[in-house]
């Protein structure tokens, strides 16, 4: 059974710092991996989607990498800002069965001004 | 504007009562999903539907029911059999194309009186 883990559960950093969020999954047979942002009491916003054949995706100050063989993904945030404060969730879509997401528990990020 | 709407934003349930959460999308997406999120946890799949008049149980379907009579609508009923319904409920939809992301609604918070 696919399991997704995110470490750390919470992180506080000063403004301007570069940071890395980690996501690990137990089964490398995946369609894709996606990173989402969730603000308190809100829905999820898609940040980056990495297809199984890709190694990384970039959008602005965000860069996500995927290493399927080791079951790991990282989300790199450059020059963090207070507006980046949110919970970041990763999710994988397993190859077997119906197309559906398996979510990690998230990393709650706070960027201090 | 295209998107997903959920109503109400807050919902209160009395003991033994069934309540229905609304989810509507105008994105012309084929697949729709319902997730439950508990504090400090990731999202867990309740039900999903890939086409009108068809739906499947997710990982935590007990105590819930759904219908998919129209492409745009996927209401979720929380029945009295669900003994711990207090949670944040998120609806999502997806175009029926591989590698396509899910789009999320703003969520409904359900509280028990």
């Amino acid at each position: 059974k696919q399991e997704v883990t995110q470490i750390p559960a919470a992180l506080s950093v000063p403004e301007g710092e570069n940071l890395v969020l980690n996501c690990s999954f137990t089964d490398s047979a995946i369609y894709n991996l996606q990173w989402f942002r969730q603000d308190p009491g809100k829905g999820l916003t898609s940040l980056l989607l990495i297809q199984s054949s890709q190694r990384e995706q970039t959008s602005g100050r965000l860069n996500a990498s995927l290493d399927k063989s080791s079951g790991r993904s990282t989300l790199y945030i450059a020059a963090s800002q207070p507006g980046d404060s949110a919970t970041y969730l990763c999710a994988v879509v397993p190859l077997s069965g119906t197309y559906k997401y398996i979510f990690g528990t998230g990393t709650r990020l706070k960027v201090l001004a | 504007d295209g998107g997903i709407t959920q109503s109400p934003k807050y919902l209160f349930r009395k003991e033994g009562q069934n309540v229905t959460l609304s989810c509507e999308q105008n994105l012309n997406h084929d697949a729709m999903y319902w997730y439950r999120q508990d504090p400090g946890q990731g999202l867990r799949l309740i039900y999903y539907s890939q086409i009108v008049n068809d739906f499947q149980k997710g990982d935590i379907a007990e105590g819930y029911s759904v219908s998919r009579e129209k492409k745009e609508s996927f209401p979720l009923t929380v029945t009295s059999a669900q003994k711990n319904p207090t949670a944040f409920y998120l609806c999502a939809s997806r175009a029926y194309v591989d590698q396509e992301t899910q789009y999320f609604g703003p969520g409904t918070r359900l509280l028990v009186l």
Side-chain angles (χ1 to χ4, degrees), chain A residues 34-37 44-49, chain B residues 101-104:
Chain A
Q34 193 159 3
W35 283 92
F36 292 89
R37 169 184 171 137
L44 276 64
T45 300
S46 175
L47 297 173
L48 291 164
L49 185 150
Chain B
T101 190
Q102 287 188 9
Y103 294 86
F104 283 81

Side-chain angles (χ1 to χ4, degrees), chain B:
Chain B
D1 285 337
I4 302 176
T5 58
Q6 291 186 243
S7 62
K9 187 173 182 179
Y10 296 96
L11 186 57
F12 298 92
R13 193 190 92 163
K14 296 179 182 178
E15 291 288 340
Q17 188 181 39
N18 293 352
V19 292
T20 297
L21 285 61
S22 170
C23 177
E24 304 276 333
Q25 54 98 1
N26 61 5
L27 300 167
N28 199 34
H29 285 174
D30 298 285
M32 297 187 74
Y33 305 79
W34 273 107
Y35 293 92
R36 169 180 172 140
Q37 186 177 34
D38 292 284
Q41 304 215 5
L43 281 66
R44 292 183 291 168
L45 184 64
I46 305 172
Y47 267 98
Y48 60 100
S49 168
Q50 298 188 86
I51 197 169
V52 173
N53 292 323
D54 185 55
F55 48 83
Q56 287 82 38
K57 294 182 179 180
D59 300 318
I60 55 166
E62 186 174 350
Y64 300 97
S65 66
V66 294
S67 63
R68 186 85 186 277
E69 297 177 0
K70 298 186 298 181
K71 188 175 185 179
E72 312 81 59
S73 178
F74 191 39
L76 173 74
T77 296
V78 183
T79 74
S80 57
Q82 173 49 246
K83 297 307 179 187
N84 184 24
T86 298
F88 190 52
Y89 291 86
L90 287 160
C91 178
S93 70
R94 184 178 74 90
Y96 197 58
V97 174
D98 279 351
Q99 313 295 340
E100 187 65 43
T101 190
Q102 287 188 9
Y103 294 86
F104 283 81
T108 292
R109 187 165 300 281
L110 177 60
L111 300 166
V112 177
L113 295 176

Side-chain angles (χ1 to χ4, degrees), chain A residues 33-86:
Chain A
L33 181 144
Q34 193 159 3
W35 283 92
F36 292 89
R37 169 184 171 137
Q38 185 178 31
D39 293 293
K42 305 290 186 183
L44 276 64
T45 300
S46 175
L47 297 173
L48 291 164
L49 185 150
I50 311 177
Q51 298 177 11
S52 60
S53 59
Q54 297 176 322
R55 297 281 294 181
E56 65 178 337
Q57 282 285 342
T58 298
S59 176
R61 294 182 294 110
L62 305 179
N63 176 276
S65 67
L66 175 63
D67 184 344
K68 272 200 319 179
S69 61
S70 66
R72 292 179 187 173
S73 176
T74 61
L75 178 66
Y76 175 82
I77 303 177
S80 58
Q81 304 170 357
D84 295 329
S85 298

